[in-house]
Amino acid sequence: MRLPPAFLLLCAAGALYAQEASLDFIQNIENSQVSVHISGINEAGLWSHIVQGFRARVQYTLRIYQDTGRPSFFGDRLLLEMDLVQEGRWDVFGSCWEIRHTNGQRVFYRDWDEFFRNFRRLDFPLLAFSGEERLYMLARVRFQTMVFRPPLNILQMFYSGRDLQSAWRRFDVP
Amino acid sequence: MKMRWKHGQSGSPVVLLGLFFFYVLFVSLVLFFSNQVLQDFALNRNITLFVIGGLTILFSSLLLFTIGFQGFQLFRAGSAEKPGMRFKLRLVFFFLVIIVFAAVPQAVLSVNFINSALRSVFNSRVDSALRDGLSVAMQYYNEKAEFMEQISSNSFFSNLLQDSDRNGEAAWENLKQVLPYLASFQVFSQTGDEVYETGDRDFFAASEDVLAAAGGLLPREILKQNINVLRSKKEFENRRGRFFVVLSARLPETFDQYAENLTSTLETYRQFEQYRPAFLFVISTLYGLFSFPLMLLAILASFRLSDEIVRPLVNLEDATRKVAEGDFSFRILSRSRDELSLLADSFNRMVMELEKSRLKSMQTEKVAAWQEIAQRLAHEIKNPLTPIKLSAQRILKRYGEKTEDFGEVLYAAAGAIIREVDGLDALLTEFRNFSRLPAPQPQPVKLKDLILEATAAYRYRAENISIHCDEVSPAITLSLDPGQIRQVFANLVTNGIDAMPRGGDIIFRADIIKKGNTRYCRIQVEDTGEGIAAENVAQVFNPYFTTKSFGTGLGLSVVERIIFDHKGQIWFESHPGVGTTFFIDLPAEKQDEQGTGNR
């Protein structure tokens, strides 16, 4: 397939802005964790993309702040900041769906629904902050349909127009 | 004489150093960018790429603006015919052609080379090799997986495991003989309680993970250090209840690494296959994006280098013109040691020698002129002395003879002596006036009005003579001493009238002309007289030279002196029998032409 330059230029221009994704928090009091959900992903598109042998990526950016009570100009105290990445792909050997986490953990799923549910969800434990008060979490998520491999990764910025990105969302830790 | 020095070369490398600094900065930026894009950067690094792209565009815009400004200045200077601008324009054009000739093939070759290199790497053989490798790996994996899967479906294994909740050891030994690569063996009750386990503990499955799973081959697991585990779940029922067995088998440690390499490379290949046109387009665009500012930098440098080459030549041309105009105090200062510096040195030596020679010549001319004046003056004084002497001798003779007409003779001789003495007095007065001609007192004067004033007395006095001033624009205003220039016109008109005893025309003309960078008003005074004989042409402006039976021969000398004092020039063209035209060039400013300016 040969793409006309004009089309590519349009892609490049449109790529500057990713589409808006929405983000939800679900608190699980029993095991003291919060689940961050991204919605708006085109499920059928993701499925057809992954079965072709490509991988997709969800990047969660989390920040835990402690409200100092001072005006926001002086800023609240940042306790933790982390980028957590989940890459989803099809495992041709096991004929199953695979999610790779930032820490190297790889989880395989026979069932697509289970894979999709876990792919767009991140469970974050809050036990480490149990003694702290006036905590809140800011989260942002970015979903990439296509993770380009080097040297094609240069295309990433021109194709980010197909990606989803959420605004920063706040979750007050109880 | 005070020397005036002009720098032959700019000598200031600040601009070129600045351009070089930007060059190094930009090349570093490009190298940083290229290193970034070859890594698998995270998403948030996109902002870095956009910043680099933005800086590149900003830098290019700045350079484009500067080049546009330089080009506009060059064009304006060329339109104003400033010295050296055409040469500079030609040099810039040559530099531009060289830059384009160097850059365009390089860009085309680079992109073509990248394309060819990528095509050679990602070709159909590589695709086949990758797919074949993947088939081999899958075949190996499937063999293992099928064995594990058979455990749940094969009746042989059903019989073997039927009593494993009570006699697990025997079942494990038997299984090991059939499947030697088994790593662990676990028996769970229906509720997930562990009944029996044996083998490598690292491969044990957690009961909650396998409890809900259906029987058969379970999804593969990757343990620590990329150890692949295949598990099979087999349910059975006996008198003691329902149980399930979990068998774990390990694949070689390198399997996952090899499999990962294969699948990743295949993924890259597929991406390249799908996005190759886009990739090449982006590479070409980025190449252009980064090459363009470098090309602009080179163009900007070409402006500066052209300036460096042209400036010494312009200075030399300027100095030559100044010398031609009579300013021998001009010198060129050159700090470099190149051929242009040698040329400047030669020029300075030449001007020095010219000045010496001119001073010597002036001295010789001065002595010669005074000798000639003394000779002519002696001649002019000696001429009346003879009649004076004769008259005196005649008086003495008649007085000795005591003749009756002595009174008449005395009266006539005394009258002759007085006339000759008056003539001598007039001659000496005119000589004194010539030698003491005052410095001009310039003021704005309408040229045509001045000509009309100077020639008014001759219009009605000279019969058969017509004086025409129609070809003098009333708008021309010059800065000059009206008294002296009036005398110039009067002398020229007198000469013209004397040259036309049978009548004729005297025509005045005036035009604004340009010599080098200086504007002049060229005044022509033409008569239709007899013309000047060829043998007299060289002596016309010499003092006391005249072809007339009357006159002192100082008229044209005075004219030349006045014009010289006004920083002008005078010369003539004469054709015997046709007439003579005197040309006078007087300095004029631009606004003088429009009749509004003054100095």
Side-chain angles (χ1 to χ4, degrees), chain A residues 1 16 52-55 59 89 91 93 100 106 108 110 144 146-147 149 151-154 158 162, chain B residues 37 39 41 43 50 141 217 219-220 222 256 259-260 264 267-268 270-272 275 277 279 282 286:
Chain A
M1 181 182 63
L16 295 173
Q52 283 181 64
F54 301 125
R55 66 185 76 189
Q59 181 182 12
R89 64 173 214 165
D91 177 34
F93 295 99
R100 292 185 183 200
R106 296 164 67 178
F108 296 88
R110 283 245 183 265
Q144 270 178 275
M146 168 77 85
V147 180
R149 301 191 62 79
L152 289 148
N153 55 345
I154 201 171
F158 295 99
R162 300 188 306 190
Chain B
V37 297
Q39 295 169 5
F41 54 83
L43 281 173
F50 283 124
Y141 179 88
L217 186 67
R220 72 175 173 132
I222 312 287
D256 191 64
E260 175 64 21
S264 298
E267 185 183 354
T268 308
R270 283 175 182 156
Q271 282 184 346
F272 182 76
Y275 292 99
F279 179 68
V282 169
L286 288 176

Side-chain angles (χ1 to χ4, degrees), chain B residues 45-213:
Chain B
R45 290 195 194 164
N46 268 3
I47 190 76
T48 314
L49 302 182
F50 283 124
V51 167
I52 291 171
L55 276 177
T56 308
I57 291 167
L58 188 72
F59 188 44
S60 301
S61 307
L62 194 69
L63 284 171
L64 265 177
F65 174 77
T66 313
I67 288 170
F69 182 68
Q70 291 271 341
F72 172 71
Q73 276 194 325
L74 186 62
F75 174 75
R76 207 172 57 171
S79 301
E81 294 186 353
K82 281 195 176 173
M85 285 304 115
R86 284 184 186 171
F87 185 45
K88 186 179 171 183
L89 196 64
R90 203 184 306 165
L91 278 176
V92 169
F93 177 72
F94 286 156
F95 278 130
L96 205 66
V97 168
I98 292 167
I99 290 164
V100 170
F101 274 22
V104 170
Q106 190 193 358
V108 173
L109 280 173
S110 299
V111 172
N112 200 37
F113 180 75
I114 292 168
N115 192 16
S116 303
L118 288 171
R119 261 194 307 215
S120 67
V121 172
F122 296 95
N123 56 33
S124 56
R125 282 182 302 164
V126 175
D127 184 33
S128 302
L130 286 170
R131 288 178 196 280
D132 292 347
L134 192 65
S135 298
V136 171
M138 285 181 71
Q139 198 176 343
Y140 174 82
Y141 179 88
N142 288 338
E143 275 179 15
K144 306 286 181 191
E146 276 171 17
F147 264 115
M148 295 298 287
E149 202 161 17
Q150 279 177 8
I151 293 172
S152 60
S153 55
N154 195 302
S155 58
F156 168 75
F157 288 106
S158 300
N159 292 331
L160 198 67
L161 296 170
Q162 192 63 35
D163 205 24
S164 57
D165 62 309
R166 196 175 59 182
N167 194 2
E169 186 65 30
W172 169 242
E173 288 302 324
N174 288 330
L175 279 170
K176 285 270 279 183
Q177 287 178 11
V178 181
L179 302 169
Y181 49 85
L182 280 179
S184 69
F185 173 70
Q186 294 167 278
V187 182
F188 296 94
S189 68
Q190 195 176 7
T191 54
D193 297 330
E194 202 165 75
V195 177
Y196 178 77
E197 62 179 18
T198 187
D200 192 339
R201 296 189 65 83
D202 289 342
F203 289 81
F204 284 169
S207 65
E208 59 269 23
D209 290 343
V210 291
L211 190 62

Side-chain angles (χ1 to χ4, degrees), chain B residues 66 83 148 239 242 270 287 381 392 401 410 442 453 498 518 559:
Chain B
T66 313
M148 295 298 287
R239 290 190 308 261
R242 288 175 66 85
R270 283 175 182 156
Y287 183 88
I381 291 171
E401 290 170 356
L410 178 65
E453 266 179 47
D498 293 343
T518 315
V559 167

Side-chain angles (χ1 to χ4, degrees), chain B residues 358-427:
Chain B
R358 187 182 66 103
L359 287 172
K360 199 173 172 182
S361 170
M362 274 173 66
Q363 189 65 28
T364 311
E365 280 177 12
K366 201 172 174 182
V367 170
W370 276 112
Q371 280 174 344
E372 192 178 338
I373 288 171
Q375 197 178 356
R376 285 185 175 278
L377 199 57
H379 177 73
E380 294 297 329
I381 291 171
K382 198 176 177 181
N383 280 346
L385 287 181
T386 306
I388 289 172
K389 188 180 175 183
L390 286 173
S391 296
Q393 284 172 343
R394 192 177 169 198
I395 291 169
L396 285 174
K397 187 182 173 187
R398 291 298 172 93
Y399 179 71
E401 290 170 356
K402 304 286 187 191
T403 56
E404 288 179 0
D405 61 344
F406 176 72
E408 290 173 12
V409 170
L410 178 65
Y411 183 80
I417 289 170
I418 288 168
R419 275 199 305 278
E420 292 302 331
V421 169
D422 283 347
L424 276 174
D425 184 52
L427 178 76

